[in-house]
Amino acid sequence: MENHFCEDYTSYHVAVYDIITGDFIKGVTHQGYADHTMWARSQAWAIYGYTLCYRETKDQKYLDFLEKITDVYLKGLPEDYIPYWDFNAPGIPDAPRDASAACVVALALLEASTYFPGEKGKKYKEAAVKMLGSLSSPAYQSGESKPAFLLHSTGHWPAGSEIDAAIIYADYYYIEALLRLKRLNEGRDITGWS
């Protein structure tokens, strides 16, 4: 929380530390557009990670931080709730999307919605449902075109790798999020598989 985030609660891809002293040197983003932009998947991993931190510790500081990093992500989403590969990417609205980031965030938000009372929890669940609705639409489903569930993920745009692609971890988190939503709607535990 100290070094891996900008003042606006967007995350760096990598925090660089001095190998001798352990002092923080700088934050950088290799797979995002620039060091001080919000690379969608980095922010998604942060949202997922702090959801798990709160689940395992019940420490309020993680829940407070989760709210800050989630709200900045949700605020910048396009209408269909599937982010551009970087929220500051050149060429928006024609820039590639990252369905994989949406899958990770949807999974996290379903769990996070159970930790926030009232309107905040409801808002997080509704956002997750919107993400899953878009991901389940013909715009993002691969159908017969690929041996995958989802299209339109971005692996490493600066390196020109996996641009507008079907990526296996998008499929994994998509299926897990759908299962979690089903269990949540049935009133069952969503963090275990009992």
Side-chain angles (χ1 to χ4, degrees), residues 36-54:
H36 294 284
T37 64
M38 187 166 51
W39 174 43
R41 203 163 58 254
S42 179
Q43 197 76 10
W45 290 132
I47 293 166
Y48 182 76
Y50 281 97
T51 300
L52 297 181
C53 285
Y54 180 73

Side-chain angles (χ1 to χ4, degrees), residues 75-117:
K75 181 180 167 190
L77 288 174
E79 189 175 326
D80 69 356
Y81 275 60
I82 309 302
Y84 295 98
W85 70 274
D86 189 295
F87 283 65
N88 306 92
I92 291 174
D94 298 319
R97 301 296 187 100
D98 190 358
S100 73
C103 295
V104 171
V105 171
L107 177 65
L109 287 182
L110 290 169
E111 181 174 342
S113 73
T114 67
Y115 301 142
F116 289 92

Side-chain angles (χ1 to χ4, degrees), residues 7-166:
E7 289 181 13
D8 64 357
Y9 298 104
T10 60
S11 64
Y12 296 115
H13 181 183
V14 176
V16 180
Y17 295 91
D18 184 290
I19 62 170
I20 305 300
T21 66
D23 293 337
F24 175 70
I25 298 172
K26 65 180 177 176
V28 296
T29 301
H30 299 294
Q31 289 179 265
Y33 178 63
D35 291 343
H36 294 284
T37 64
M38 187 166 51
W39 174 43
R41 203 163 58 254
S42 179
Q43 197 76 10
W45 290 132
I47 293 166
Y48 182 76
Y50 281 97
T51 300
L52 297 181
C53 285
Y54 180 73
R55 179 206 303 168
E56 297 302 322
T57 68
K58 299 300 186 240
D59 189 326
Q60 187 65 37
K61 73 179 175 189
Y62 296 126
L63 195 62
D64 294 343
F65 197 74
L66 171 62
E67 182 175 12
K68 291 171 184 170
I69 63 176
T70 299
D71 288 352
V72 72
Y73 179 94
L74 293 177
K75 181 180 167 190
L77 288 174
E79 189 175 326
D80 69 356
Y81 275 60
I82 309 302
Y84 295 98
W85 70 274
D86 189 295
F87 283 65
N88 306 92
I92 291 174
D94 298 319
R97 301 296 187 100
D98 190 358
S100 73
C103 295
V104 171
V105 171
L107 177 65
L109 287 182
L110 290 169
E111 181 174 342
S113 73
T114 67
Y115 301 142
F116 289 92
E119 286 303 309
K120 182 62 77 166
K122 181 179 176 188
K123 176 184 174 184
Y124 285 175
K125 182 180 179 190
E126 288 173 353
V129 168
K130 286 180 185 179
M131 290 169 201
L132 291 170
S134 289
L135 292 166
S136 299
S137 74
Y140 289 92
Q141 291 285 301
S142 68
E144 299 292 321
S145 69
K146 303 257 187 222
F149 291 109
L150 296 172
L151 301 171
H152 309 307
S153 289
T154 301
H156 192 338
W157 188 87
S161 173
E162 297 179 315
I163 310 298
D164 196 22

